Structure formats: structure tokens, C-alpha cells
């Protein structure tokens, strides 16, 4: 059994400026999964950098806070309880419009790899 406690996890700042902790990743955990799962945090008033995953799809499950999700030319308000599908190759970024941290789960399939992510300037 693998069980991870968020209170004990180490966060790092990702390329897109969100703060992440990987919960399950096939290359770092003893799991055979086609996907990876991370917990993400975007501070109040912050925004992630526009980026894309070239070949992986991604799902964000919003847990706390509110924001604006940008996927290609679409813009939508997001709030707790929503799941957002981000298709492969889509340019995406998230803005935190609340006065508290925006917290969400990221599921990436196939699992996240650095060479698959590209920051868009």
C-alpha cells in the first residue's frame, strides 16, 4: 500500500510557476500506472505561465479557491468540485482570482515527463 500525507509532502515550484507535490508517479513510486497524480497550489492572485503538454492529456480537479482557466482561446471560471479536461497540445494557464490559495489535483495521462512540457512565451 502507498499512502501519502499532504501535510508531510515537499512542494517545489514547477516550470509554469505553480507549486506541486507528486503523489503518484510511475518513474518515482513503485506503481505501474499509465498516469501520474500531483497536488498543486497557486497562491492568491498568482497565475501559472502559459504552457502545454505535447502528448499528454491533463485533468484538473479543483479542491479550494477560485480562478480563471484558459485553454487555447477558451476562458472559464473554475471553483471547487469542478473537473477540467485539458487535451494534449492545448495551451493552458490558470489564474487565481481569490484571496486564498487555489488548490487542485492534476492527473496526467500518459504520466508527466519533463520533455513533454513546453512553456509558451
Amino acid at each position: 500500500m502507498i499512502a501519502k500525507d499532504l501535510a508531510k509532502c515537499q512542494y517545489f515550484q514547477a516550470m509554469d510557476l505553480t507549486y506541486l507535490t507528486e503523489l503518484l508517479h510511475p518513474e518515482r513510486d513503485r506503481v505501474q500506472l499509465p498516469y501520474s497524480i500531483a497536488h498543486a497550489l497557486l497562491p492568491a492572485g498568482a497565475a501559472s505561465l502559459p504552457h502545454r503538454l505535447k502528448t499528454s492529456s491533463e485533468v484538473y480537479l479543483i479542491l479550494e479557491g477560485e480562478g480563471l482557466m484558459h485553454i487555447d482561446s477558451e476562458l472559464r471560471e473554475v471553483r471547487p468540485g469542478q473537473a477540467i479536461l485539458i487535451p494534449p497540445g492545448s495551451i493552458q494557464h490558470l489564474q487565481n482570482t481569490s484571496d486564498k490559495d487555489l488548490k487542485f489535483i492534476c492527473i496526467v495521462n500518459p504520466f508527466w515527463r519533463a520533455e513533454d512540457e513546453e512553456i509558451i512565451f
Side-chain angles (χ1 to χ4, degrees):
M1 176 189 303
I2 296 174
K4 295 190 178 177
D5 184 342
L6 280 178
K8 296 178 182 176
C9 289
Q10 296 288 323
Y11 286 80
F12 63 93
Q13 190 171 35
M15 289 189 298
D16 70 351
L17 303 182
T18 58
Y19 291 89
L20 295 176
T21 187
E22 290 183 329
L23 298 175
L24 292 173
H25 195 288
E27 292 181 339
R28 291 178 261 302
D29 296 299
R30 293 178 303 172
V31 293
Q32 292 184 2
L33 298 171
Y35 56 87
S36 58
I37 301 175
H39 185 266
L41 216 159
L42 191 57
S48 64
L49 294 176
H51 63 287
R52 71 183 181 116
L53 296 179
K54 299 172 198 169
T55 61
S56 295
S57 63
E58 192 166 17
V59 173
Y60 285 178
L61 176 59
I62 308 298
L63 302 173
E64 294 180 34
E66 296 178 349
L68 291 173
M69 185 75 217
H70 301 255
I71 301 175
D72 292 328
S73 61
E74 292 185 65
L75 175 67
R76 182 159 303 166
E77 291 182 7
V78 295
R79 61 185 180 284
Q82 290 182 315
I84 299 101
L85 173 64
I86 305 160
S90 299
I91 297 173
Q92 57 159 308
H93 75 280
L94 182 60
Q95 292 175 265
N96 183 344
T97 58
S98 66
D99 59 358
K100 62 180 183 176
D101 291 342
L102 179 58
K103 297 178 182 179
F104 53 104
I105 297 291
C106 306
I107 303 167
V108 179
N109 186 41
F111 59 82
W112 183 88
R113 297 173 333 276
E115 62 272 12
D116 193 40
E117 187 166 2
E118 176 180 48
I119 299 297
I120 308 296
F121 293 100

